[in-house]
Amino acid sequence: MPDVSVVIPTTGRPSVAEAVRSARAQRGMSVHVVVVCDLPDVPATVRDLGGEVDEVVCTGGGRRGSYARNLGVAHAAPGSHVAFLDDDDAWLPDKLAVQVPVLERLAAQGWLPVVSSRILQRRDGGLPLPTAAPATLIADGTLPEDYLFQRRRLGVGRQSLPTSTLLTTRELATTCRWDETLPRHQDWDWLIRAARIPGARITQVEQATAIYTVGSPGSISARADWRTSWEWARRWEGVWARQTFSDFVAAQTLRYALQARDWEGVREMTRAIRRSAPPSAPNAALAAIGIVPRAALERVAMRGSRPVADSPSPRPTDGVR
């Protein structure tokens, strides 16, 4: 029986091969690799992997990441845990060996756990930086939105719970489905809702277990789309702490509106902040640098560390993250 079912959504990018092989190469763990193609048919990039993939399923095309992940969970092996891996990221060889014992210890104590970790970051087409991120891990009992959005850091050390680090039980993965209506913030939304399930517990291990790609071509997260982010944030207004809501609006939606030079959006986000709470100084600073293009910010954030030359080399990507 596999220890872990690995759910890998893809639009057929060549980088899916690296993702699959990094899952297959896990030390000391048996895996069941499920590749979910958000396409009408299986692309050549997945067909070429042959026996390296245990199951391949298609969504029919255009259903987005949340639908693909839910479909992948439905195809998880009975009795296995569930881990998520994006097709432009990769796992380090001891990823599951580090996380599974933590998951099983918490589950034995009666928790419904989600185990994340630190990551190594790389730009698309580059090598990983040696500094593991985030700088600060989520504390026990902290709500994910408070950890992710309050006093947000700039740079590689900022707070994060990346999708490709997430490991959970099949019970929780089935109970808390990914929201298929969301075009973005799918991972944040899933974590925030999972944390509200009675008995759920989100934790992070100190080790880096995954290589995370920043700036994939066509990435949804790279678009300065303040309206989509605002529509999602409004769901949580009055639910999140006022400081958390204000910090999110400042660092995310107001910054996007500034990047897009959408002055109507800037005014609307300013009004939202005024009816909530003053943003923290770091988040106000992030909002202010919205006048700087995102690509320039990513270059600054990734600068200052030398890549790890002997790390697994990335493969080019051609789709949306």
Side-chain angles (χ1 to χ4, degrees):
M1 182 179 296
D3 297 297
V4 178
S5 291
V6 186
V7 176
I8 307 176
T10 187
T11 54
R13 292 190 281 195
S15 57
V16 69
E18 182 192 21
V20 166
R21 287 166 183 156
S22 72
R24 186 61 66 192
Q26 291 299 293
R27 296 186 182 124
M29 292 287 162
S30 172
V31 297
H32 180 78
V33 177
V34 183
V35 173
V36 185
C37 306
D38 192 19
L39 297 163
D41 301 298
V42 179
T45 50
V46 175
R47 289 198 305 270
D48 290 346
L49 294 171
E52 295 178 84
V53 177
D54 296 293
E55 284 193 69
V56 179
V57 290
C58 291
T59 68
R63 303 302 295 269
R64 299 192 296 238
S66 288
Y67 183 94
R69 293 185 185 100
N70 287 334
L71 185 58
V73 170
H75 284 260
S80 68
H81 307 309
V82 174
F84 299 101
L85 175 57
D86 287 347
D87 73 348
D88 57 348
D89 296 336
W91 284 350
L92 297 172
D94 291 324
K95 195 260 189 195
L96 295 180
V98 168
Q99 289 185 304
V100 167
V102 177
L103 182 89
E104 294 185 340
R105 173 175 56 81
L106 292 173
Q109 295 171 0
W111 296 100
L112 292 172
V114 178
V115 182
S116 179
S117 73
R118 286 192 163 103
I119 54 172
L120 300 179
Q121 298 183 62
R122 67 184 177 194
R123 287 193 60 80
D124 180 60
L127 295 173
L129 300 179
T131 304
T136 304
L137 304 181
I138 190 170
D140 286 344
T142 300
L143 290 171
E145 65 267 23
D146 294 342
Y147 166 71
L148 290 166
F149 306 143
Q150 284 191 14
R151 302 188 62 80
R152 196 173 180 185
R153 297 169 61 105
L154 175 64
V156 295
R158 75 177 184 179
Q159 305 95 304
S160 63
L161 296 159
T163 303
S164 294
T165 69
L166 300 180
L167 171 71
T168 190
T169 61
R170 196 172 193 273
E171 178 183 359
L172 183 57
T174 304
T175 301
C176 186
R177 292 172 56 82
W178 293 69
D179 188 336
E180 297 172 7
T181 69
L182 294 176
R184 71 186 310 167
H185 305 323
Q186 299 164 355
D187 50 352
W188 288 345
D189 181 83
W190 186 83
L191 286 161
I192 289 165
R193 289 185 294 105
R196 284 165 166 77
I197 294 175
R201 179 172 173 179
I202 297 175
T203 190
Q204 279 178 297
V205 299
E206 293 187 1
Q207 297 94 321
T209 70
I211 300 172
Y212 176 84
T213 303
V214 177
S216 294
S219 170
I220 291 173
S221 62
R223 300 174 188 170
D225 178 8
W226 70 268
R227 288 183 175 85
T228 302
S229 291
W230 176 230
E231 287 174 7
W232 177 70
R234 289 176 64 184
R235 300 182 180 191
W236 298 102
E237 188 172 8
V239 178
W240 294 348
R242 292 166 65 87
Q243 184 67 65
T244 300
F245 182 78
S246 180
D247 274 1
F248 177 86
V249 171
Q252 199 79 25
T253 55
L254 176 56
R255 176 165 58 90
Y256 283 168
L258 285 165
Q259 285 177 343
R261 304 300 189 263
D262 188 326
W263 307 120
E264 175 190 348
V266 171
R267 288 191 292 271
E268 186 172 350
M269 295 305 95
T270 301
R271 288 193 295 268
I273 290 170
R274 284 175 178 168
R275 67 174 179 262
S276 183
S280 63
N283 289 51
L286 277 168
I289 62 176
I291 58 174
V292 181
R294 181 187 174 98
L297 290 178
E298 286 180 350
R299 286 194 296 272
V300 171
M302 299 288 282
R303 189 178 297 157
S305 297
R306 296 179 61 85
V308 181
D310 59 352
S311 295
S313 59
R315 298 172 184 268
T317 58
D318 62 358
V320 297
R321 181 173 181 84

